[in-house]
Amino acid sequence: MSARDRFHQLVRIALEKAEWVITHDPYHIDLGFVDFYIDLGAELLLAATKDEEKIAVEIKTFLAPSTISEFHTAIGQFINYRIALEDDDPKRRLYLAVPLDVYKRFFRYPFIQTVIVRNQIPLLVYDTEKQEIAEWIS
């Protein structure tokens, strides 16, 4: 199993504050030759439709010395997880969770935005001080 990111518990708390129910911690996918562990799986009951929304969240901290290197790793991991999740639970949507300060100083560069848009990567931006979800970006 992979090591948990520094903000794993913080993101879990933020999701629970937003009334998400954590169903998997981690969300495990067995591919037969390798196991994937997405950080969290969660569900939200949508009362208006009596339906539910299911998500998986891969949490990244971007605390390493090279933000671009960590970004490369995060994007590759995200794409692999999304493909695996399409077979395992096609109704569950995968999000990449990033800290608010990193989003403000790094994810707003045009090149980074282009990578996010072209790869259709939904973001969950979390506030490390308030322990809340700052923004959902689909």
Side-chain angles (χ1 to χ4, degrees):
M1 186 178 338
S2 64
R4 290 189 169 179
D5 287 292
R6 181 175 172 188
F7 296 132
H8 181 97
Q9 191 62 26
L10 184 151
V11 173
R12 182 182 173 123
I13 290 168
L15 284 167
E16 290 171 337
K17 277 184 179 178
E19 300 186 359
W20 286 87
V21 175
I22 304 300
T23 57
H24 303 77
D25 187 1
Y27 186 101
H28 174 239
I29 300 174
D30 180 0
L31 296 178
F33 70 100
V34 69
D35 293 320
F36 283 165
Y37 294 94
I38 302 171
D39 290 311
L40 294 171
E43 295 179 4
L44 178 66
L45 180 62
L46 304 173
T49 60
K50 294 188 177 178
D51 202 359
E52 63 185 5
E53 184 176 354
K54 299 189 320 184
I55 63 171
V57 179
E58 180 59 22
I59 303 164
K60 293 299 172 201
T61 59
F62 292 92
L63 297 174
S66 172
T67 306
I68 192 71
S69 178
E70 199 166 354
F71 179 71
H72 291 310
T73 301
I75 297 304
Q77 191 177 32
F78 181 92
I79 291 169
N80 287 339
Y81 286 177
R82 181 169 56 197
I83 291 169
L85 199 55
E86 286 170 0
D87 288 334
D88 193 74
D89 189 351
K91 291 185 178 180
R92 190 175 297 272
R93 187 166 194 204
L94 180 62
Y95 282 84
L96 181 64
V98 299
L100 180 59
D101 63 324
V102 174
Y103 179 75
K104 285 181 177 177
R105 78 174 153 77
F106 181 75
F107 275 73
R108 292 190 175 172
Y109 287 116
F111 176 79
I112 301 302
Q113 284 293 307
T114 299
V115 171
I116 295 298
V117 169
R118 284 196 187 164
N119 288 288
Q120 301 176 0
I121 298 175
L123 299 176
L124 183 167
V125 181
Y126 58 93
D127 187 321
T128 57
E129 292 182 17
K130 295 180 180 174
Q131 297 191 355
E132 294 178 347
I133 297 168
E135 193 171 354
W136 295 90
I137 302 170
S138 296

